[in-house]
Amino acid sequence: MAWIPYSGVHLCARHFVQRFESRALWAVEKLGMIRRGERVAVAVSGGKDSLALLRLLSKHRDRLSIELVAVLIDEGIRGYRPRKVEAAERYAREWGVELVVRSFRDLLGLTLDEAVARLMEGGLRYKPCTVCGVFRRYALNAVALELGADKLATAHNLDDEVQAFLLNMAQASFAAIAREGAATPRSHPKLVPRVKPFYFIPEKEVLVYALLQGIETPEVECPYIVYSTRHVFRRWLNAVAEMDPTVKHRVMALKVMVSGRVEAPREPLRSCTLCGMPASKGVCKACELRGYLSSVAKA
Ligand code: SF4
């Protein structure tokens, strides 16, 4: 029996799965995230959330009339990512989805462990999660583009979105508040539009769904999580939600309202002068960070 505290209902396993899938498919179909006939690259990490998304889309691919391919980016984090890759390979095979594994080393020339060693030498001007996030977004887009995907689906859930919103508020990042949504448009020929079918679903429900689908992955934590500011917001939100189970939904409602009204300067995306990929300035963020990391190595 699953208890949904913000709506006050108890659901048996069958009804929980039915409710979960119909909400995610509503977002996919009614919000126009994915259209019939499209080729969808699903970003998987080997964790429960992304495998739950791959499970959902592979289960309903005929109804949605879509073609699926899974993409896993190995950041190069010793003792962490390799065990998750094994889980992703096992489930992709079981569900009949091709899995493409690429690494930061292939695509960006160095592993995250090597990048973090250089960040430490440079006095941690950038945090490991900043570099990891920028490189992962770059790598996923590059591979989705190479695979001819029409959409890139990620497993970001309501908790992720609410944490990101609070973080953007704390940093007064109006452009990020205006930009982050359930689906992003194709604003550059080399930008594969992103969609988030779990955008309105709390993390705990995604985990229950994964459990009910028999998904098991190794419980290993990234060693760099201790540097993450976002993790502080995550713990704080979860503590508040213990006292008030509706808080995350109310922040999400505020996010939806505010993001439509924020007046942020929106310049059209350009092409990076170094790699040709989408960039908001002359050089994209991934090339800028790569440049910084190689300057630290030479110093
Ligand atoms: Fe990357 Fe940070 Fe997540 Fe580790 S915790 S995988 S460094 S974003």
Side-chain angles (χ1 to χ4, degrees):
M1 207 47 113
W3 162 240
I4 314 285
Y6 56 86
S7 53
V9 291
H10 286 91
L11 295 171
C12 67
R14 188 166 66 87
H15 283 113
F16 177 89
V17 169
Q18 245 174 33
R19 175 181 182 272
F20 182 94
E21 292 185 348
S22 69
R23 287 164 76 209
L25 292 172
W26 172 85
V28 168
E29 294 178 305
K30 296 286 183 271
L31 299 184
M33 287 185 181
I34 300 174
R35 305 204 182 277
R36 300 178 80 74
E38 285 188 327
R39 178 165 164 83
V40 181
V42 184
V44 296
S45 63
K48 287 196 177 70
D49 295 28
S50 60
L51 288 174
L53 178 62
L54 188 62
R55 174 67 182 140
L56 175 103
L57 293 177
S58 63
K59 208 169 157 184
H60 296 282
R61 68 188 124 184
D62 290 342
R63 163 181 163 172
L64 296 169
S65 196
I66 54 173
E67 196 189 326
L68 284 181
V69 57
V71 178
L72 189 150
I73 303 298
D74 181 351
E75 303 91 344
I77 305 173
R78 200 168 306 125
Y80 171 65
R81 190 56 75 204
R83 294 178 59 195
K84 302 258 182 191
V85 176
E86 284 167 25
E89 283 171 342
R90 189 170 71 247
Y91 287 111
R93 207 176 313 117
E94 191 181 315
W95 302 329
V97 182
E98 181 198 359
L99 173 70
V100 176
V101 181
R102 302 291 295 276
S103 66
F104 277 6
R105 182 180 280 290
D106 295 340
L107 297 155
L108 294 137
L110 80 177
T111 65
L112 188 67
D113 285 341
E114 289 162 350
V116 173
R118 292 188 198 173
L119 290 178
M120 299 288 184
E121 279 171 45
L124 268 187
R125 184 169 134 198
Y126 298 100
K127 290 192 175 168
C129 294
T130 306
V131 175
C132 182
V134 169
F135 281 4
R136 194 178 324 107
R137 271 194 298 280
Y138 179 93
L140 280 170
N141 184 62
V143 179
L145 197 65
E146 179 191 309
L147 294 170
D150 300 296
K151 297 283 164 60
L152 173 63
T154 67
H156 290 93
N157 56 50
L158 182 136
D159 291 50
D160 295 323
E161 295 302 318
V162 167
Q163 289 156 22
F165 176 64
L166 293 178
L167 196 59
N168 290 334
M169 295 270 278
Q171 293 170 340
S173 180
F174 299 112
I177 291 171
R179 192 177 54 228
E180 300 288 341
T184 55
R186 185 182 284 272
S187 45
H188 184 280
K190 288 192 172 174
L191 185 68
V192 179
R194 287 177 177 239
V195 295
K196 304 171 182 171
F198 295 163
Y199 192 79
F200 295 107
I201 303 183
E203 183 178 53
K204 270 192 187 160
E205 290 174 42
V206 177
L207 297 180
V208 172
Y209 178 73
L211 210 72
L212 293 172
Q213 297 301 303
I215 297 170
E216 285 176 14
T217 63
E219 292 300 331
V220 275
E221 196 162 66
C222 173
Y224 304 123
I225 200 157
V226 289
Y227 299 103
S228 162
T229 315
R230 189 189 176 116
H231 195 54
V232 178
F233 280 97
R234 182 172 193 250
R235 282 202 309 258
W236 176 78
L237 257 171
N238 286 340
V240 179
E242 283 292 314
M243 294 181 275
D244 175 0
T246 60
V247 68
K248 292 175 188 172
H249 289 80
R250 277 189 278 111
V251 178
M252 173 52 98
L254 182 70
K255 175 185 189 316
V256 171
M257 239 158 53
V258 168
S259 56
R261 293 177 192 202
V262 168
E263 294 280 332
R266 287 195 200 194
E267 293 206 9
L269 282 178
R270 310 177 203 174
S271 298
C272 172
T273 50
L274 298 178
C275 69
M277 295 300 263
S280 47
K281 294 181 282 177
V283 171
C284 73
K285 200 74 193 154
C287 286
E288 187 186 315
L289 285 174
R290 266 200 301 183
Y292 168 73
L293 291 168
S294 53
S295 73
V296 175
K298 281 183 204 140

